[in-house]
Amino acid sequence: QVQLQESGPGLVKPSETLSLTCAVSGYSISSGYYWGWIRQPPGKGLEWIGSIYHSGSTYYNPSLKSRVTISVDTSKNQFSLKLSSVTAADTAVYYCAGAVAGSKFDYWGQGTLVTVSS
Amino acid sequence: QSVLTQPPSVSGAPGQRVTISCTGSSSNIGAGYDVHWYQQLPGTAPKLLIYGNSNRPSGVPDRFSGSKSGTSASLAITGLQAEDEADYYCQSYDSSLSGSVVVFGGGTKLTVL
């Protein structure tokens, strides 16, 4: 059974960098089509942050591109998100997700709430 | 403002049929990209409900169906049940100057009366 689990600080100070990791179990991360990060501000809808393909190529939401880096560590079967210069507007539940065949997100982590506050 | 437009809310009584629309443009749905649908129950992560416009993953009841035409897609739920009360999101790709980017609809809250 494929499982994804986000981890990282739940509180980040304004102007600092948000860092999250998604551990994948039950599936080899190098075999998947792509892996992505999606966030959901409190009471709002889903916003795609970016994705990393099995080839290593990355694609980011144009509105966040200047602040986002997604990377993969195949040795640990995990991928990571870094979002720099955060503000209160970046407060959200952050989900990692995997698309193992095609463009749909087949599997999702449970999500982790990250609050940006001093 | 989402690239894909969904009604903020829909409602229906138990046993009824409801539909949720997802309207895009020639750079996303109309360009031939597949549409996927997710169900998000309160306090939980989204779950894949329909993929490739009209396919159901294993375990999803056949009360849920999807379709696509032109620049729009729809999710239909028949025989509405109380447990269907949730938020529903459509997802596709959009061809922009930055390449093919993932786009979500703004979400639709389904209320079972």
Side-chain angles (χ1 to χ4, degrees), chain A residues 33-34 38 40 44-48 51 53 59-62 65 95 102-106 108-111, chain B residues 34 36 38 40 43-48 51-52 87 89 91 93 96 98-106:
Chain A
Y33 186 65
Y34 68 67
I38 298 102
Q40 185 172 35
K44 297 188 178 181
L46 302 173
E47 179 182 34
W48 174 72
S51 297
Y53 285 71
Y59 290 90
Y60 300 131
N61 186 321
K65 186 175 183 178
Y95 296 101
S103 61
K104 63 195 185 306
F105 287 112
D106 304 90
W108 294 68
Q110 65 184 24
Chain B
D34 281 344
H36 315 301
Y38 301 87
Q40 186 177 33
T44 69
K47 166 193 161 186
L48 181 64
Y51 68 93
D87 293 324
Y89 294 89
Q91 177 238 314
Y93 273 91
S96 71
S98 303
S100 294
V101 295
V102 173
V103 290
F104 284 98

